[in-house]
Amino acid sequence: MRPSMYYELLLAAAIILIPLLITYFLKGRWRKNGVLAIFFTVAAVIIFFIGRPYWVDYQISERTELLEEYLIDTYPEAEWKITSIDHRNVEMAHINPYYLNVSFSDEAEVTYYYFVGRNGEVRQDGFGHPEIFSSLNLKYKEDAGGD
């Protein structure tokens, strides 16, 4: 479970429990309206937690398209493969799903990590190499400031 999920669950519990406690002390029509409001609140929370993975999938696909355009502009002669983590996998839940991994065909042993922000900003945030960076003469390594 990703760390922010704990905060989301606590907030959802507070949003449900506080009105539930208040509704307990109400009488008549007010209690009926309070129970109805709690029902809709619970439904909204359930929809949020069910729909969130699909929303993340959509955002990853949008950001992948932006990264693809960036790579076409920056490295027009290169061939690459873009992948992302499986954010639905519990073991990967602590990793930011918006980091995209790029492997270039002529440097297949190196994976470059790109972050695409909400505003479309693309920056390279690092790279992984199986020989622990023994070769610092990497063809696609960008400056720390990105583009």
Side-chain angles (χ1 to χ4, degrees):
M1 189 180 301
R2 60 182 196 284
S4 64
M5 185 77 151
Y6 294 113
Y7 297 118
E8 292 167 359
L9 288 172
L10 284 174
L11 181 63
I15 288 173
I16 293 170
L17 289 177
I18 291 172
L20 187 65
L21 289 173
I22 292 171
T23 302
Y24 177 76
F25 294 106
L26 298 176
K27 302 277 185 208
R29 194 175 115 209
W30 289 101
R31 179 179 282 183
K32 183 179 176 183
N33 290 339
V35 169
L36 191 62
I38 291 169
F39 172 77
F40 285 118
T41 304
V42 169
V45 168
I46 290 170
I47 289 170
F48 171 78
F49 283 110
I50 289 174
R52 185 155 198 242
Y54 298 103
W55 176 248
V56 172
D57 286 341
Y58 170 75
Q59 288 182 330
I60 289 172
S61 68
E62 290 290 314
R63 293 174 189 209
T64 301
E65 290 176 17
L66 290 171
L67 178 59
E68 184 86 26
E69 292 172 12
Y70 171 81
L71 292 173
I72 288 171
D73 291 342
T74 308
Y75 309 110
E77 73 288 344
E79 294 181 21
W80 56 80
K81 179 181 176 187
I82 300 174
T83 59
S84 66
I85 65 155
D86 180 14
H87 66 92
R88 294 173 190 234
N89 184 349
V90 175
E91 296 172 0
M92 299 289 198
H94 66 285
I95 300 173
N96 188 338
Y98 302 116
Y99 277 94
L100 300 173
N101 306 322
V102 178
S103 298
F104 293 93
S105 61
D106 54 346
E107 278 186 351
E109 70 279 356
V110 180
T111 301
Y112 294 91
Y113 309 117
Y114 284 88
F115 181 78
V116 181
R118 291 181 187 160
N119 59 358
E121 169 200 354
V122 177
R123 71 175 188 266
Q124 187 183 90
D125 275 353
F127 56 92
H129 191 272
E131 296 172 10
I132 310 174
F133 314 124
S134 63
S135 171
L136 294 179
N137 188 16
L138 299 173
K139 189 174 182 180
Y140 301 102
K141 183 179 180 304
E142 297 176 8
D143 292 333
D147 187 42

